[in-house]
Amino acid sequence: MYEDFGLFIGGAWVKGANSSEVFSPVTERSLGAVSVAAPEDARAAIDAAADALAPLLALGGFGRADALHGAADEMVRRSDEAAIMISTETGKPLAQSGREWGLACDQFRWYAEEARRIYGRTVGSRVPGGRFEISREPVGVVGAFTAWNFPAALPARKLAPALAAGCPVILRPSSQTPGAAIILADCLRAGGLPDGAVNLVIGVTSDTYLPIMADPRVRKVSLTGSTKVGQQMIRDAADTVKKVSMELGGNAPLIVFDDADLDMALDVSVPAKYANCGQVCVAPDRFFVHESLHDRFVEGFVERASKIKLGDGLDPETGMGPLIKAGSLESVDGIVQSAVADGATLALGGKRAAGFNEGHFYEPTVLTGATDGMAVFAEENFGPVAAITSFAEEEEALQRANGSTMGLSAYAFTSSPDRARRAVATLKSGMVGINSFALAAAEAPFGGTNYSGLGREGGSEGIDDYLETKLAQIVF
């Protein structure tokens, strides 16, 4: 399924010197071999991106907008192909894959229009006859690194604003799920961008990441990945003083206050928790439920979660697919067993799913009696595990919800506008959902605080990280 493509460098598909197998998380069997980059391929991509800087800038904002709309048109045409690719590589249900590709399309539509709206301003000067002119220019070549769990949406969040700003990009997607990035690069090729504006390299860290980080022509890097990887990237970027932006880990709290609409909270929180088998950085992990609702919430949550059908994401009846790899299954099970050993109670699941002779399937799991010190609360579990505890007072819930070094997303359910405003003001998080989990949209700035990252992707704010501000004092 990868044979017709390869690496995308300088406007052409080229074969890498080596290849790497891509494995299905559903069957654990090979899906095919994808071309992987050697260090010289990564350097060729940097050369091509550097050469594309001038022609991409010369297009102007309106020309770049036309190219991005052209790419989005091609993405819409290939929607079914892309959704199948995403489900095949990740195992997530096809409906979720289709929504993801749609979100990726939206990014290019949104930033096509933002390309037309890169504004400057004029400020009066104290110097007689003078004025200050403030303009915005592309930062330069960008290195973009993305994770496997959203193989279309994550690259799109970086490619679209960078290209809109006039920055050529070298994209390195996850080697576990390269297919969507390959289709995306081909759609951008069809959009008519200058050769070298988009480059795709796939491969191991030493052959891809290190050349990009070491080259001073790469002026910005953007990462979606773990906090540990982000910390290392910040250190590596310092050597050549690159700008950095990154969306890192999460450990989202969800608070259900005593005045919440219980059925509505359950109806939306169960799908949010188990989407993509819980492998979502903004998924709720820590559930704080008011003591007056706790038992009914647990009962309703278990009832709904127990009805989720596990299976291949390409099966339209599947509600949840597998974890991405065997190591993830082992990690999630270790967190669950540790919580039980520390006194938590299994209300549902808690083991590898029965009836599957292959694949990395883990049961939808619900733990009660979780405490703040347990790993299931203190760490992002990145799996299908909901850890539930109770609270008595609003202040207690908000304080415990803030007891994490992460700060990507947080959620609260309440029928009180005043309480909602207090929650938004108090929760230490880059994004807060009140009675909703709908945070990811092209028009909205997505990102976190503290150990969850730097910068924003999406919205009018998303293009800022790809622009430099230039000041000119002009006197006549």
Side-chain angles (χ1 to χ4, degrees), residues 277-309:
C277 199
Q279 300 165 120
V280 182
C281 55
V282 294
D285 283 343
R286 300 175 291 142
F287 290 72
F288 301 90
V289 183
H290 190 269
E291 58 189 10
S292 65
L293 298 178
H294 176 270
D295 291 350
R296 284 189 291 154
F297 182 88
V298 171
E299 180 182 357
F301 202 96
V302 168
E303 178 186 3
R304 288 163 173 79
S306 64
K307 295 177 181 178
I308 296 173
K309 182 179 183 298

mmCIF file of all heavy atoms in Angstrom, residues 277-309:
data_model
loop_
_atom_site.group_PDB
_atom_site.id
_atom_site.type_symbol
_atom_site.label_atom_id
_atom_site.label_comp_id
_atom_site.label_asym_id
_atom_site.label_seq_id
_atom_site.Cartn_x
_atom_site.Cartn_y
_atom_site.Cartn_z
ATOM 1 N N CYS A 277 -9.492 4.369 21.558
ATOM 2 C CA CYS A 277 -9.040 3.496 22.658
ATOM 3 C C CYS A 277 -8.365 4.305 23.767
ATOM 4 O O CYS A 277 -7.424 3.840 24.419
ATOM 5 C CB CYS A 277 -8.096 2.417 22.125
ATOM 6 S SG CYS A 277 -7.896 0.997 23.230
ATOM 7 N N GLY A 278 -8.833 5.525 23.981
ATOM 8 C CA GLY A 278 -8.281 6.375 25.036
ATOM 9 C C GLY A 278 -6.957 7.012 24.689
ATOM 10 O O GLY A 278 -6.378 7.718 25.522
ATOM 11 N N GLN A 279 -6.471 6.807 23.481
ATOM 12 C CA GLN A 279 -5.159 7.322 23.083
ATOM 13 C C GLN A 279 -5.307 8.716 22.478
ATOM 14 O O GLN A 279 -4.992 8.967 21.314
ATOM 15 C CB GLN A 279 -4.512 6.341 22.100
ATOM 16 C CG GLN A 279 -4.310 4.955 22.703
ATOM 17 C CD GLN A 279 -4.016 3.900 21.661
ATOM 18 O OE1 GLN A 279 -2.958 3.263 21.685
ATOM 19 N NE2 GLN A 279 -4.923 3.668 20.734
ATOM 20 N N VAL A 280 -5.808 9.620 23.296
ATOM 21 C CA VAL A 280 -6.094 11.000 22.900
ATOM 22 C C VAL A 280 -5.563 11.907 24.004
ATOM 23 O O VAL A 280 -5.915 11.734 25.172
ATOM 24 C CB VAL A 280 -7.608 11.230 22.706
ATOM 25 C CG1 VAL A 280 -7.874 12.660 22.254
ATOM 26 C CG2 VAL A 280 -8.190 10.232 21.708
ATOM 27 N N CYS A 281 -4.743 12.870 23.639
ATOM 28 C CA CYS A 281 -4.095 13.696 24.655
ATOM 29 C C CYS A 281 -5.079 14.531 25.459
ATOM 30 O O CYS A 281 -4.796 14.894 26.603
ATOM 31 C CB CYS A 281 -3.033 14.597 24.012
ATOM 32 S SG CYS A 281 -3.669 15.616 22.673
ATOM 33 N N VAL A 282 -6.257 14.846 24.880
ATOM 34 C CA VAL A 282 -7.237 15.652 25.610
ATOM 35 C C VAL A 282 -8.345 14.807 26.223
ATOM 36 O O VAL A 282 -9.316 15.339 26.757
ATOM 37 C CB VAL A 282 -7.857 16.738 24.695
ATOM 38 C CG1 VAL A 282 -6.816 17.761 24.293
ATOM 39 C CG2 VAL A 282 -8.516 16.124 23.465
ATOM 40 N N ALA A 283 -8.226 13.482 26.177
ATOM 41 C CA ALA A 283 -9.242 12.612 26.768
ATOM 42 C C ALA A 283 -9.281 12.809 28.286
ATOM 43 O O ALA A 283 -8.248 12.989 28.928
ATOM 44 C CB ALA A 283 -8.946 11.153 26.446
ATOM 45 N N PRO A 284 -10.464 12.766 28.902
ATOM 46 C CA PRO A 284 -10.528 12.851 30.359
ATOM 47 C C PRO A 284 -9.920 11.605 30.996
ATOM 48 O O PRO A 284 -10.227 10.480 30.596
ATOM 49 C CB PRO A 284 -12.032 12.958 30.644
ATOM 50 C CG PRO A 284 -12.682 12.298 29.452
ATOM 51 C CD PRO A 284 -11.793 12.588 28.289
ATOM 52 N N ASP A 285 -9.048 11.811 31.959
ATOM 53 C CA ASP A 285 -8.411 10.712 32.684
ATOM 54 C C ASP A 285 -8.901 10.632 34.132
ATOM 55 O O ASP A 285 -9.151 9.563 34.660
ATOM 56 C CB ASP A 285 -6.885 10.887 32.700
ATOM 57 C CG ASP A 285 -6.230 10.501 31.390
ATOM 58 O OD1 ASP A 285 -6.868 9.818 30.580
ATOM 59 O OD2 ASP A 285 -5.071 10.891 31.171
ATOM 60 N N ARG A 286 -8.982 11.804 34.774
ATOM 61 C CA ARG A 286 -9.290 11.885 36.208
ATOM 62 C C ARG A 286 -10.709 12.427 36.383
ATOM 63 O O ARG A 286 -10.982 13.579 36.089
ATOM 64 C CB ARG A 286 -8.280 12.799 36.906
ATOM 65 C CG ARG A 286 -6.837 12.330 36.775
ATOM 66 C CD ARG A 286 -5.866 13.336 37.375
ATOM 67 N NE ARG A 286 -5.784 14.572 36.609
ATOM 68 C CZ ARG A 286 -5.667 15.785 37.145
ATOM 69 N NH1 ARG A 286 -5.662 15.928 38.458
ATOM 70 N NH2 ARG A 286 -5.574 16.848 36.372
ATOM 71 N N PHE A 287 -11.615 11.591 36.878
ATOM 72 C CA PHE A 287 -13.017 11.956 37.026
ATOM 73 C C PHE A 287 -13.309 12.291 38.489
ATOM 74 O O PHE A 287 -13.208 11.427 39.370
ATOM 75 C CB PHE A 287 -13.913 10.803 36.582
ATOM 76 C CG PHE A 287 -13.897 10.543 35.097
ATOM 77 C CD1 PHE A 287 -12.779 9.974 34.476
ATOM 78 C CD2 PHE A 287 -14.994 10.854 34.306
ATOM 79 C CE1 PHE A 287 -12.767 9.729 33.113
ATOM 80 C CE2 PHE A 287 -14.989 10.611 32.934
ATOM 81 C CZ PHE A 287 -13.875 10.052 32.342
ATOM 82 N N PHE A 288 -13.678 13.527 38.742
ATOM 83 C CA PHE A 288 -14.075 13.977 40.073
ATOM 84 C C PHE A 288 -15.587 14.188 40.065
ATOM 85 O O PHE A 288 -16.085 15.097 39.398
ATOM 86 C CB PHE A 288 -13.371 15.283 40.440
ATOM 87 C CG PHE A 288 -11.869 15.200 40.441
ATOM 88 C CD1 PHE A 288 -11.138 15.465 39.295
ATOM 89 C CD2 PHE A 288 -11.182 14.847 41.601
ATOM 90 C CE1 PHE A 288 -9.745 15.393 39.296
ATOM 91 C CE2 PHE A 288 -9.794 14.767 41.609
ATOM 92 C CZ PHE A 288 -9.074 15.041 40.450
ATOM 93 N N VAL A 289 -16.314 13.360 40.794
ATOM 94 C CA VAL A 289 -17.780 13.393 40.761
ATOM 95 C C VAL A 289 -18.296 13.728 42.154
ATOM 96 O O VAL A 289 -17.882 13.113 43.153
ATOM 97 C CB VAL A 289 -18.354 12.042 40.289
ATOM 98 C CG1 VAL A 289 -19.874 12.123 40.179
ATOM 99 C CG2 VAL A 289 -17.736 11.642 38.945
ATOM 100 N N HIS A 290 -19.215 14.693 42.211
ATOM 101 C CA HIS A 290 -19.756 15.082 43.515
ATOM 102 C C HIS A 290 -20.363 13.870 44.213
ATOM 103 O O HIS A 290 -20.992 13.012 43.581
ATOM 104 C CB HIS A 290 -20.805 16.181 43.348
ATOM 105 C CG HIS A 290 -21.214 16.788 44.654
ATOM 106 N ND1 HIS A 290 -22.279 16.314 45.399
ATOM 107 C CD2 HIS A 290 -20.668 17.818 45.363
ATOM 108 C CE1 HIS A 290 -22.390 17.040 46.506
ATOM 109 N NE2 HIS A 290 -21.424 17.954 46.511
ATOM 110 N N GLU A 291 -20.175 13.816 45.512
ATOM 111 C CA GLU A 291 -20.581 12.641 46.284
ATOM 112 C C GLU A 291 -22.067 12.329 46.150
ATOM 113 O O GLU A 291 -22.467 11.161 46.242
ATOM 114 C CB GLU A 291 -20.210 12.835 47.753
ATOM 115 C CG GLU A 291 -20.816 14.058 48.399
ATOM 116 C CD GLU A 291 -20.252 14.331 49.792
ATOM 117 O OE1 GLU A 291 -19.263 13.680 50.165
ATOM 118 O OE2 GLU A 291 -20.813 15.203 50.498
ATOM 119 N N SER A 292 -22.887 13.347 45.874
ATOM 120 C CA SER A 292 -24.327 13.101 45.734
ATOM 121 C C SER A 292 -24.670 12.404 44.423
ATOM 122 O O SER A 292 -25.755 11.823 44.287
ATOM 123 C CB SER A 292 -25.087 14.429 45.825
ATOM 124 O OG SER A 292 -24.765 15.279 44.729
ATOM 125 N N LEU A 293 -23.758 12.462 43.451
ATOM 126 C CA LEU A 293 -23.991 11.850 42.143
ATOM 127 C C LEU A 293 -23.071 10.669 41.863
ATOM 128 O O LEU A 293 -23.258 9.960 40.866
ATOM 129 C CB LEU A 293 -23.790 12.893 41.029
ATOM 130 C CG LEU A 293 -24.703 14.110 41.016
ATOM 131 C CD1 LEU A 293 -24.309 15.043 39.880
ATOM 132 C CD2 LEU A 293 -26.161 13.704 40.878
ATOM 133 N N HIS A 294 -22.104 10.445 42.736
ATOM 134 C CA HIS A 294 -21.025 9.503 42.436
ATOM 135 C C HIS A 294 -21.536 8.116 42.066
ATOM 136 O O HIS A 294 -21.171 7.557 41.017
ATOM 137 C CB HIS A 294 -20.072 9.417 43.635
ATOM 138 C CG HIS A 294 -18.990 8.395 43.464
ATOM 139 N ND1 HIS A 294 -19.139 7.076 43.870
ATOM 140 C CD2 HIS A 294 -17.745 8.480 42.922
ATOM 141 C CE1 HIS A 294 -18.037 6.404 43.584
ATOM 142 N NE2 HIS A 294 -17.178 7.224 43.015
ATOM 143 N N ASP A 295 -22.368 7.528 42.890
ATOM 144 C CA ASP A 295 -22.786 6.145 42.656
ATOM 145 C C ASP A 295 -23.590 6.024 41.365
ATOM 146 O O ASP A 295 -23.404 5.072 40.588
ATOM 147 C CB ASP A 295 -23.606 5.621 43.832
ATOM 148 C CG ASP A 295 -22.757 5.431 45.090
ATOM 149 O OD1 ASP A 295 -21.519 5.534 44.991
ATOM 150 O OD2 ASP A 295 -23.339 5.196 46.168
ATOM 151 N N ARG A 296 -24.482 6.988 41.112
ATOM 152 C CA ARG A 296 -25.279 6.946 39.880
ATOM 153 C C ARG A 296 -24.399 7.198 38.656
ATOM 154 O O ARG A 296 -24.631 6.601 37.593
ATOM 155 C CB ARG A 296 -26.405 7.982 39.951
ATOM 156 C CG ARG A 296 -27.575 7.558 40.849
ATOM 157 C CD ARG A 296 -28.737 8.519 40.704
ATOM 158 N NE ARG A 296 -28.411 9.815 41.286
ATOM 159 C CZ ARG A 296 -28.964 10.973 40.910
ATOM 160 N NH1 ARG A 296 -29.814 10.994 39.895
ATOM 161 N NH2 ARG A 296 -28.647 12.102 41.513
ATOM 162 N N PHE A 297 -23.400 8.055 38.813
ATOM 163 C CA PHE A 297 -22.494 8.302 37.695
ATOM 164 C C PHE A 297 -21.719 7.033 37.356
ATOM 165 O O PHE A 297 -21.610 6.657 36.175
ATOM 166 C CB PHE A 297 -21.525 9.436 38.037
ATOM 167 C CG PHE A 297 -20.589 9.798 36.914
ATOM 168 C CD1 PHE A 297 -20.961 10.737 35.963
ATOM 169 C CD2 PHE A 297 -19.338 9.207 36.806
ATOM 170 C CE1 PHE A 297 -20.113 11.073 34.918
ATOM 171 C CE2 PHE A 297 -18.475 9.534 35.763
ATOM 172 C CZ PHE A 297 -18.869 10.475 34.817
ATOM 173 N N VAL A 298 -21.174 6.374 38.360
ATOM 174 C CA VAL A 298 -20.422 5.137 38.117
ATOM 175 C C VAL A 298 -21.317 4.094 37.461
ATOM 176 O O VAL A 298 -20.927 3.436 36.476
ATOM 177 C CB VAL A 298 -19.824 4.597 39.426
ATOM 178 C CG1 VAL A 298 -19.232 3.206 39.211
ATOM 179 C CG2 VAL A 298 -18.770 5.546 39.975
ATOM 180 N N GLU A 299 -22.525 3.935 37.983
ATOM 181 C CA GLU A 299 -23.452 2.953 37.423
ATOM 182 C C GLU A 299 -23.744 3.258 35.950
ATOM 183 O O GLU A 299 -23.702 2.362 35.093
ATOM 184 C CB GLU A 299 -24.754 2.954 38.221
ATOM 185 C CG GLU A 299 -25.791 1.954 37.722
ATOM 186 C CD GLU A 299 -27.096 2.005 38.512
ATOM 187 O OE1 GLU A 299 -27.185 2.784 39.485
ATOM 188 O OE2 GLU A 299 -28.045 1.275 38.143
ATOM 189 N N GLY A 300 -24.039 4.520 35.648
ATOM 190 C CA GLY A 300 -24.343 4.898 34.273
ATOM 191 C C GLY A 300 -23.132 4.789 33.361
ATOM 192 O O GLY A 300 -23.259 4.413 32.189
ATOM 193 N N PHE A 301 -21.960 5.115 33.887
ATOM 194 C CA PHE A 301 -20.735 5.040 33.092
ATOM 195 C C PHE A 301 -20.428 3.591 32.736
ATOM 196 O O PHE A 301 -20.117 3.267 31.567
ATOM 197 C CB PHE A 301 -19.576 5.654 33.885
ATOM 198 C CG PHE A 301 -18.426 6.113 33.047
ATOM 199 C CD1 PHE A 301 -18.308 7.435 32.652
ATOM 200 C CD2 PHE A 301 -17.444 5.215 32.634
ATOM 201 C CE1 PHE A 301 -17.247 7.870 31.871
ATOM 202 C CE2 PHE A 301 -16.375 5.627 31.856
ATOM 203 C CZ PHE A 301 -16.276 6.972 31.471
ATOM 204 N N VAL A 302 -20.519 2.712 33.734
ATOM 205 C CA VAL A 302 -20.250 1.291 33.495
ATOM 206 C C VAL A 302 -21.260 0.707 32.513
ATOM 207 O O VAL A 302 -20.895 -0.066 31.598
ATOM 208 C CB VAL A 302 -20.268 0.518 34.826
ATOM 209 C CG1 VAL A 302 -20.284 -0.991 34.575
ATOM 210 C CG2 VAL A 302 -19.068 0.897 35.679
ATOM 211 N N GLU A 303 -22.515 1.079 32.663
ATOM 212 C CA GLU A 303 -23.549 0.566 31.760
ATOM 213 C C GLU A 303 -23.248 0.941 30.316
ATOM 214 O O GLU A 303 -23.331 0.108 29.413
ATOM 215 C CB GLU A 303 -24.911 1.126 32.169
ATOM 216 C CG GLU A 303 -26.043 0.683 31.262
ATOM 217 C CD GLU A 303 -27.367 1.370 31.603
ATOM 218 O OE1 GLU A 303 -27.380 2.225 32.511
ATOM 219 O OE2 GLU A 303 -28.367 1.056 30.934
ATOM 220 N N ARG A 304 -22.877 2.193 30.086
ATOM 221 C CA ARG A 304 -22.603 2.642 28.727
ATOM 222 C C ARG A 304 -21.292 2.051 28.188
ATOM 223 O O ARG A 304 -21.225 1.622 27.032
ATOM 224 C CB ARG A 304 -22.550 4.172 28.690
ATOM 225 C CG ARG A 304 -23.918 4.841 28.851
ATOM 226 C CD ARG A 304 -23.767 6.314 29.213
ATOM 227 N NE ARG A 304 -25.035 7.027 29.222
ATOM 228 C CZ ARG A 304 -25.911 6.980 30.215
ATOM 229 N NH1 ARG A 304 -25.674 6.223 31.295
ATOM 230 N NH2 ARG A 304 -27.029 7.685 30.160
ATOM 231 N N ALA A 305 -20.263 2.039 29.008
ATOM 232 C CA ALA A 305 -18.963 1.537 28.555
ATOM 233 C C ALA A 305 -19.012 0.046 28.253
ATOM 234 O O ALA A 305 -18.313 -0.436 27.338
ATOM 235 C CB ALA A 305 -17.905 1.824 29.613
ATOM 236 N N SER A 306 -19.804 -0.686 28.991
ATOM 237 C CA SER A 306 -19.878 -2.146 28.789
ATOM 238 C C SER A 306 -20.525 -2.505 27.453
ATOM 239 O O SER A 306 -20.392 -3.643 26.985
ATOM 240 C CB SER A 306 -20.658 -2.793 29.927
ATOM 241 O OG SER A 306 -22.007 -2.357 29.936
ATOM 242 N N LYS A 307 -21.200 -1.554 26.826
ATOM 243 C CA LYS A 307 -21.861 -1.815 25.544
ATOM 244 C C LYS A 307 -20.971 -1.510 24.349
ATOM 245 O O LYS A 307 -21.367 -1.729 23.200
ATOM 246 C CB LYS A 307 -23.147 -0.996 25.450
ATOM 247 C CG LYS A 307 -24.208 -1.392 26.465
ATOM 248 C CD LYS A 307 -25.438 -0.499 26.367
ATOM 249 C CE LYS A 307 -26.487 -0.879 27.405
ATOM 250 N NZ LYS A 307 -27.670 0.024 27.350
ATOM 251 N N ILE A 308 -19.770 -1.001 24.592
ATOM 252 C CA ILE A 308 -18.870 -0.664 23.493
ATOM 253 C C ILE A 308 -18.351 -1.952 22.853
ATOM 254 O O ILE A 308 -17.800 -2.816 23.536
ATOM 255 C CB ILE A 308 -17.693 0.193 23.989
ATOM 256 C CG1 ILE A 308 -18.209 1.533 24.518
ATOM 257 C CG2 ILE A 308 -16.677 0.426 22.874
ATOM 258 C CD1 ILE A 308 -17.135 2.380 25.177
ATOM 259 N N LYS A 309 -18.521 -2.065 21.542
ATOM 260 C CA LYS A 309 -18.082 -3.256 20.820
ATOM 261 C C LYS A 309 -16.643 -3.063 20.357
ATOM 262 O O LYS A 309 -16.315 -2.099 19.677
ATOM 263 C CB LYS A 309 -18.980 -3.518 19.623
ATOM 264 C CG LYS A 309 -18.625 -4.786 18.831
ATOM 265 C CD LYS A 309 -19.575 -4.995 17.668
ATOM 266 C CE LYS A 309 -19.279 -6.295 16.931
ATOM 267 N NZ LYS A 309 -17.926 -6.315 16.334
#
